[in-house]
Amino acid sequence: MSSSQYLTTELRQWITAQLQNGITREALYQAMLSSGWQPDLARQALEEHPSLASEPVLSLPAVAEPVVEPGTVPEPNLGDQRSVLLPDGHRVEVLMTLARPRVVVFGGLLTDEECDAIVTAAGARLARSETVASQKEGSEVNAARTSEGMFFERGESEVVARIEARIAALVNWPLRNGEGLQVLRYRTGAEYQPHYDYFDPRHASSKAILQRGGQRVGTLVMYLNTPTRGGATVFPDVKLDVMAQKGNAVFFSYDRPEPGTLTLHGGAPVMEGEKWVATKWLRQGEFV
């Protein structure tokens, strides 16, 4: 995809504002890399900006991505920290951790403005959510899942790319190993009954799905609003409920496609109002 497809009016205005604030071209380039841009696209986008078009081509190093060793899963570097400062300057609070299953609840992963921007961008593209088909290839509408949803392409917009880069840094997993963000809206009464996020190798659809990046090994659910009542993310095996709070997120990982990972989870019914979430699924290999 060419950089001109990425250079939206919003991004042009953002670049202009940064330059007017005295940010150097080199610093702006590094900020774009931290937000998930590929080096060549970041250079081209800057070169196409009217105020920078006559300046020489940038020649700066790219930001190295984590190396994925066989058998590893995404894992935040937390130690005993109560908060994590990410490369983009955003600080995330660590609200809760659990060793088995591996669950981490983060506070303030997204700003209110980022939540609202994702909801606005997704709103016109929602359709009835589906699940992976078990008896045939593809996906199907399932009574267990009564939300509406859509997928963003990876790096589709500046705000999507920024969030994806933040997630990659937080859980130490390459951007290229992540699926595009999925946004879901649950109206009053809607739910997603308990399920696993990994692909069951026995299902007819799994072979083709696994060819696109291997097995899922981690999930990050981000809350884009706070429902009036209900809508928690539940983990029945360990009796854990994570309440939906705007800007917060719950991360969990699973090292094999088995119930023994204790990652059975679901979206409890929304009792009042509606719930918006954005989910990032992480694959073992590069997602294509």
Coordinates of all heavy atoms in Angstrom, one line a residue, residues 72-76 98-104 171 173 197-198 216-220 235 250-256 258 260-264 282:
T72 N 7.2 -19.7 22.7 CA 6.9 -18.6 23.6 C 5.6 -18.0 23.3 O 4.9 -18.2 22.3 CB 8.0 -17.5 23.4 OG1 8.0 -17.0 22.0 CG2 9.4 -18.1 23.7
V73 N 5.1 -17.2 24.3 CA 3.8 -16.5 24.1 C 4.1 -15.0 24.5 O 5.1 -14.7 25.2 CB 2.7 -17.1 25.1 CG1 2.4 -18.5 24.6 CG2 3.2 -17.0 26.5
P74 N 3.2 -14.1 24.2 CA 3.3 -12.7 24.6 C 3.3 -12.6 26.1 O 2.6 -13.3 26.8 CB 2.0 -12.1 24.0 CG 1.6 -13.0 22.9 CD 1.9 -14.4 23.3
E75 N 4.2 -11.7 26.6 CA 4.3 -11.5 28.0 C 4.8 -10.1 28.3 O 5.9 -9.7 28.0 CB 5.3 -12.6 28.6 CG 5.6 -12.4 30.1 CD 4.3 -12.5 31.0 OE1 3.4 -13.2 30.6 OE2 4.3 -11.8 32.0
P76 N 4.0 -9.3 29.1 CA 4.4 -8.0 29.5 C 5.6 -8.1 30.4 O 5.6 -9.0 31.3 CB 3.2 -7.4 30.2 CG 2.0 -8.3 29.7 CD 2.6 -9.6 29.5
L98 N -2.5 -12.3 37.3 CA -2.8 -13.7 37.7 C -1.8 -14.6 36.9 O -1.6 -14.3 35.7 CB -4.3 -14.0 37.3 CG -4.9 -15.3 37.9 CD1 -5.0 -15.2 39.4 CD2 -6.3 -15.5 37.3
A99 N -1.3 -15.5 37.6 CA -0.2 -16.4 37.0 C -0.8 -17.5 36.1 O -0.3 -17.8 35.0 CB 0.7 -17.0 38.0
R100 N -1.9 -18.1 36.6 CA -2.5 -19.3 35.9 C -4.0 -19.2 36.0 O -4.5 -19.5 37.1 CB -1.9 -20.6 36.4 CG -2.4 -21.8 35.6 CD -1.7 -23.1 36.0 NE -2.1 -24.2 35.1 CZ -3.1 -24.9 35.3 NH1 -3.9 -24.7 36.4 NH2 -3.4 -25.9 34.5
P101 N -4.7 -18.9 34.9 CA -4.2 -18.5 33.6 C -3.4 -17.2 33.7 O -3.7 -16.4 34.6 CB -5.4 -18.4 32.8 CG -6.5 -18.0 33.7 CD -6.2 -18.8 35.0
R102 N -2.6 -16.9 32.7 CA -1.9 -15.6 32.7 C -2.9 -14.6 32.3 O -3.3 -14.5 31.1 CB -0.7 -15.7 31.7 CG 0.2 -14.4 31.7 CD 0.6 -14.1 33.1 NE 1.6 -13.0 33.2 CZ 1.8 -12.2 34.2 NH1 1.0 -12.3 35.3 NH2 2.8 -11.3 34.2
V103 N -3.2 -13.7 33.2 CA -4.2 -12.6 33.0 C -3.6 -11.4 33.6 O -3.0 -11.4 34.7 CB -5.5 -12.9 33.6 CG1 -6.5 -11.7 33.4 CG2 -6.2 -14.2 33.1
V104 N -3.6 -10.3 32.9 CA -3.2 -9.0 33.4 C -4.3 -7.9 33.0 O -4.7 -7.9 31.9 CB -1.8 -8.5 32.8 CG1 -1.4 -7.2 33.4 CG2 -0.7 -9.6 33.0
V171 N 3.2 -5.9 25.3 CA 3.2 -7.4 25.5 C 4.4 -8.0 24.8 O 4.5 -9.3 24.8 CB 1.9 -8.0 25.0 CG1 0.7 -7.4 25.7 CG2 1.7 -7.9 23.5
W173 N 5.5 -8.3 21.7 CA 5.1 -9.2 20.6 C 5.2 -8.4 19.3 O 4.7 -7.3 19.3 CB 3.7 -9.8 20.8 CG 3.5 -11.1 20.2 CD1 2.7 -11.4 19.1 CD2 4.2 -12.4 20.5 NE1 2.8 -12.8 18.8 CE2 3.7 -13.4 19.7 CE3 5.1 -12.7 21.5 CZ2 4.1 -14.7 19.8 CZ3 5.5 -14.0 21.6 CH2 5.0 -15.0 20.7
D197 N -10.3 -18.7 22.6 CA -9.9 -17.9 21.4 C -8.9 -18.6 20.5 O -8.8 -18.3 19.3 CB -9.2 -16.6 21.9 CG -10.2 -15.5 22.2 OD1 -11.4 -15.7 22.0 OD2 -9.7 -14.4 22.8
Y198 N -8.3 -19.7 21.0 CA -7.4 -20.5 20.1 C -8.3 -21.2 19.1 O -9.5 -21.4 19.3 CB -6.5 -21.4 20.9 CG -7.2 -22.4 21.8 CD1 -8.0 -23.5 21.3 CD2 -7.2 -22.2 23.2 CE1 -8.6 -24.4 22.1 CE2 -7.8 -23.1 24.0 CZ -8.5 -24.2 23.5 OH -9.2 -25.0 24.3
R216 N -3.4 -18.8 17.5 CA -3.4 -17.6 18.4 C -2.8 -18.0 19.7 O -3.0 -19.1 20.2 CB -4.9 -17.2 18.6 CG -5.5 -16.5 17.5 CD -7.0 -16.2 17.8 NE -7.6 -15.4 16.8 CZ -9.0 -15.2 16.7 NH1 -9.8 -15.8 17.5 NH2 -9.5 -14.5 15.7
V217 N -2.1 -17.0 20.3 CA -1.4 -17.3 21.6 C -1.7 -16.2 22.6 O -1.2 -16.3 23.7 CB 0.1 -17.4 21.4 CG1 0.5 -18.7 20.6 CG2 0.7 -16.2 20.6
G218 N -2.4 -15.2 22.2 CA -2.7 -14.1 23.2 C -3.9 -13.3 22.8 O -4.1 -13.2 21.6
T219 N -4.6 -12.7 23.7 CA -5.7 -11.8 23.5 C -5.6 -10.6 24.3 O -5.3 -10.7 25.5 CB -7.0 -12.6 23.8 OG1 -7.1 -13.8 23.0 CG2 -8.3 -11.7 23.6
L220 N -6.0 -9.4 23.8 CA -6.1 -8.2 24.5 C -7.4 -7.6 24.2 O -7.7 -7.3 23.0 CB -5.0 -7.2 24.2 CG -5.0 -5.9 25.0 CD1 -4.4 -6.2 26.4 CD2 -4.1 -4.9 24.3
F235 N -14.1 -15.2 33.4 CA -13.3 -16.4 33.2 C -13.8 -17.4 34.2 O -13.5 -17.5 35.4 CB -11.8 -16.1 33.6 CG -11.2 -15.1 32.6 CD1 -11.3 -13.7 32.8 CD2 -10.4 -15.5 31.6 CE1 -10.7 -12.8 31.9 CE2 -9.7 -14.7 30.7 CZ -9.9 -13.3 30.9
V250 N -7.9 -6.0 29.3 CA -7.5 -7.3 29.9 C -6.8 -8.1 28.9 O -7.2 -8.3 27.8 CB -8.8 -8.1 30.5 CG1 -9.8 -8.3 29.4 CG2 -8.3 -9.4 31.2
F251 N -5.6 -8.6 29.3 CA -4.7 -9.4 28.5 C -4.7 -10.8 29.1 O -4.6 -11.0 30.3 CB -3.3 -8.8 28.4 CG -2.3 -9.7 28.0 CD1 -2.1 -10.0 26.6 CD2 -1.4 -10.4 28.9 CE1 -1.1 -10.8 26.1 CE2 -0.5 -11.3 28.4 CZ -0.3 -11.5 27.0
F252 N -4.7 -11.8 28.2 CA -4.4 -13.2 28.6 C -3.8 -14.0 27.5 O -4.0 -13.7 26.3 CB -5.7 -13.9 29.1 CG -6.9 -13.9 28.1 CD1 -7.1 -15.0 27.4 CD2 -7.7 -12.8 28.0 CE1 -8.2 -15.0 26.5 CE2 -8.8 -12.8 27.2 CZ -9.0 -13.9 26.4
S253 N -3.0 -14.9 27.9 CA -2.2 -15.7 26.9 C -2.5 -17.2 27.1 O -2.9 -17.6 28.2 CB -0.7 -15.4 27.0 OG -0.2 -15.7 28.3
Y254 N -2.2 -18.0 26.1 CA -2.4 -19.4 26.1 C -1.4 -20.1 25.2 O -1.2 -19.8 24.1 CB -3.8 -19.8 25.7 CG -4.4 -18.8 24.7 CD1 -4.4 -19.0 23.3 CD2 -5.0 -17.6 25.2 CE1 -4.9 -18.0 22.4 CE2 -5.5 -16.6 24.3 CZ -5.4 -16.8 22.9 OH -5.9 -15.9 22.1
D255 N -0.6 -21.0 25.8 CA 0.5 -21.6 25.1 C 0.2 -22.9 24.3 O 1.1 -23.4 23.6 CB 1.7 -21.9 26.1 CG 1.2 -23.0 27.2 OD1 0.1 -23.4 27.2 OD2 2.1 -23.3 28.0
R256 N -1.0 -23.3 24.4 CA -1.5 -24.5 23.6 C -3.0 -24.4 23.4 O -3.7 -23.8 24.2 CB -1.0 -25.8 24.3 CG -1.6 -25.9 25.7 CD -0.9 -27.0 26.5 NE -1.6 -27.3 27.7 CZ -1.4 -26.5 28.8 NH1 -0.7 -25.4 28.8 NH2 -2.1 -26.8 29.9
E258 N -5.7 -25.9 24.3 CA -6.3 -26.9 25.1 C -7.0 -26.2 26.3 O -6.6 -25.2 26.8 CB -5.2 -27.9 25.7 CG -4.5 -28.7 24.7 CD -3.4 -29.6 25.4 OE1 -3.4 -29.5 26.7 OE2 -2.7 -30.2 24.7
G260 N -6.9 -26.9 29.2 CA -6.0 -26.9 30.4 C -5.4 -25.5 30.6 O -4.8 -25.3 31.6
T261 N -5.4 -24.7 29.6 CA -4.9 -23.3 29.7 C -5.8 -22.4 30.6 O -5.3 -21.4 31.0 CB -4.8 -22.6 28.4 OG1 -6.1 -22.6 27.7 CG2 -3.8 -23.3 27.4
L262 N -7.0 -22.9 30.9 CA -7.9 -22.2 31.8 C -8.3 -20.8 31.3 O -8.7 -19.9 32.0 CB -7.3 -22.0 33.2 CG -6.9 -23.3 33.9 CD1 -6.3 -23.0 35.3 CD2 -8.1 -24.3 34.1
T263 N -8.3 -20.7 29.9 CA -8.6 -19.4 29.3 C -10.0 -19.4 28.8 O -10.4 -18.5 27.9 CB -7.6 -19.1 28.2 OG1 -7.6 -20.1 27.3 CG2 -6.2 -18.8 28.8
L264 N -10.9 -20.3 29.3 CA -12.3 -20.1 28.9 C -12.8 -18.8 29.4 O -12.6 -18.4 30.5 CB -13.1 -21.2 29.6 CG -14.6 -21.3 29.3 CD1 -14.8 -21.8 27.9 CD2 -15.3 -22.2 30.3
L282 N -3.3 -12.1 19.0 CA -1.8 -12.3 18.7 C -1.6 -13.7 18.2 O -2.0 -14.6 18.9 CB -1.0 -11.9 19.9 CG -1.3 -10.5 20.5 CD1 -0.7 -10.4 21.9 CD2 -0.9 -9.4 19.6

